């Protein structure tokens, strides 16, 4: 039992570090991205990584109050990605 | 007892798989050198990466807590919306000309995303000429 718990704690720390690092790498792509599509894509990736970080935080603290927040972030991220893309495609969001 | 140990190992495996896929997606987002190929990598983060992290949470809360409903909701929502946003970003790539030109269609048809009504073509013209 203790070995398995230790391994899970190490994996949790590893996942925190890796997802945080990926958030930074996506941020680099937001800054340097040559085109509009790359910036939209990097922002979408950052939203998805934020959902992953919140899920990991709920797993680490053993609470369930964060999952509603990550559900809301998932919905807002999708809507904002589609709004950015539509703004570039049509020059207008709501026609 | 053994049941809980197996569950802990399964959670560990899911966490490692999720972090590997997230890392691969972020590296692909940084290293690829074309708009459409850059689109390929982060879509894997949206499905397998976050999906494995949510699976780890489902297993942990199912064994040690009281069930997991919100994770299933998040998973279903992400799996439904990830292809849609990727499709929209691919359309943006085609419109801004940051990818290879798609092949010509026979019988003077147009690709559906370029087949706009005249009023919308007025709107997109400044954007297209700028890129």
């Amino acid at each position: 039992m203790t070995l398995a718990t230790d391994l899970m704690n190490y994996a949790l720390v590893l996942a925190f570090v890796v997802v945080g690092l990926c958030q930074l790498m996506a941020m680099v792509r937001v800054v340097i991205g040559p085109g509009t599509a790359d910036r939209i894509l990097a922002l979408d990736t950052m939203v998805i990584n934020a959902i992953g970080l919140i899920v990991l935080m709920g797993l680490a603290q053993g609470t369930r109050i964060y999952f509603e927040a990550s559900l809301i972030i998932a919905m807002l991220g999708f809507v904002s990605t589609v709004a950015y893309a539509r703004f570039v495609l049509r020059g207008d969001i709501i026609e | 007892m053994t049941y809980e140990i197996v569950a802990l190992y399964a959670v560990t495996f899911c966490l490692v798989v999720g972090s590997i896929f997230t890392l691969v997606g972020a590296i692909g987002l940084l290293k690829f050198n074309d708009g459409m190929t850059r689109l390929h990598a982060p879509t894997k983060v949206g499905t397998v990466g976050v999906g494995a992290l949510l699976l780890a949470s489902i297993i942990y809360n199912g064994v040690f807590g009281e069930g997991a409903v919100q994770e299933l909701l998040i998973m279903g929502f992400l799996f439904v919306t990830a292809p849609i946003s990727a499709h929209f970003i691919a359309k943006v790539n085609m419109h801004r000309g940051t990818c290879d030109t798609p092949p010509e269609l026979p019988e003077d048809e147009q690709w559906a995303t370029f087949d706009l009504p005249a009023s919308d073509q007025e709107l997109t013209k400044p954007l297209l000429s700028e890129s």
Side-chain angles (χ1 to χ4, degrees):
Chain A
M1 191 75 184
T2 53
L3 174 68
T5 315
D6 283 350
L7 267 181
M8 199 199 81
N9 286 332
Y10 285 135
L12 209 55
V13 173
L14 173 89
F16 265 118
V17 170
V18 166
V19 179
L21 197 69
C22 294
Q23 194 78 298
L24 283 178
M25 287 158 90
M27 216 181 286
V28 170
R29 180 50 82 186
V30 171
V31 173
I32 68 172
T36 322
D38 301 310
R39 293 204 168 94
I40 299 172
L41 178 61
L43 281 175
D44 192 47
T45 314
M46 283 180 71
V47 166
I48 287 172
N49 283 344
I51 296 166
L53 274 179
I54 291 175
V55 168
L56 285 176
M57 207 159 89
L59 198 56
Q61 299 187 357
T63 60
R64 303 191 49 77
I65 56 172
Y66 294 119
F67 290 107
E68 280 89 358
S70 59
L71 194 57
I72 290 171
I73 290 183
M75 289 177 178
L76 274 181
F78 169 67
V79 170
S80 63
T81 305
V82 172
Y84 279 135
R86 266 196 90 69
F87 182 70
V88 176
L89 286 176
R90 296 285 169 98
D92 206 351
I93 297 171
I94 301 167
E95 292 166 13
Chain B
M1 195 66 185
T2 50
Y3 177 62
E4 292 175 348
I5 291 177
V6 170
L8 281 179
Y9 279 123
V11 169
T12 311
F13 178 73
C14 286
L15 283 176
V16 171
V17 168
S19 23
I20 286 173
F21 267 87
T22 313
L23 186 64
V24 166
I27 291 174
L29 181 66
L30 265 188
K31 293 290 285 183
F32 284 149
N33 47 14
D34 178 43
M36 284 292 196
T37 46
R38 271 199 290 271
L39 181 56
H40 166 88
T43 47
K44 269 80 221 168
V45 182
T47 50
V48 187
V50 178
L53 296 182
L54 284 167
L55 193 63
S57 185
I58 286 174
I59 294 171
Y60 189 83
N61 282 314
V63 174
F64 299 99
E66 66 282 340
V69 186
Q70 289 102 327
E71 286 100 323
L72 283 176
L73 276 177
I74 300 169
M75 207 185 233
F77 192 79
L78 277 182
F79 284 9
V80 168
T81 57
I84 302 174
S85 45
H87 178 85
F88 267 98
I89 295 167
K91 271 180 161 183
V92 171
N93 264 325
M94 282 172 78
H95 274 257
R96 301 305 291 259
T98 46
C99 63
D100 292 344
T101 319
E104 290 290 321
L105 292 182
E107 298 166 10
D108 51 87
E109 286 179 1
Q110 257 190 322
W111 288 88
T113 158
F114 293 120
D115 198 11
L116 300 175
S119 56
D120 286 351
Q121 276 173 2
E122 297 264 315
L123 285 173
T124 53
K125 206 167 282 172
L127 290 169
L128 286 176
S129 58
E130 173 201 308
S131 62

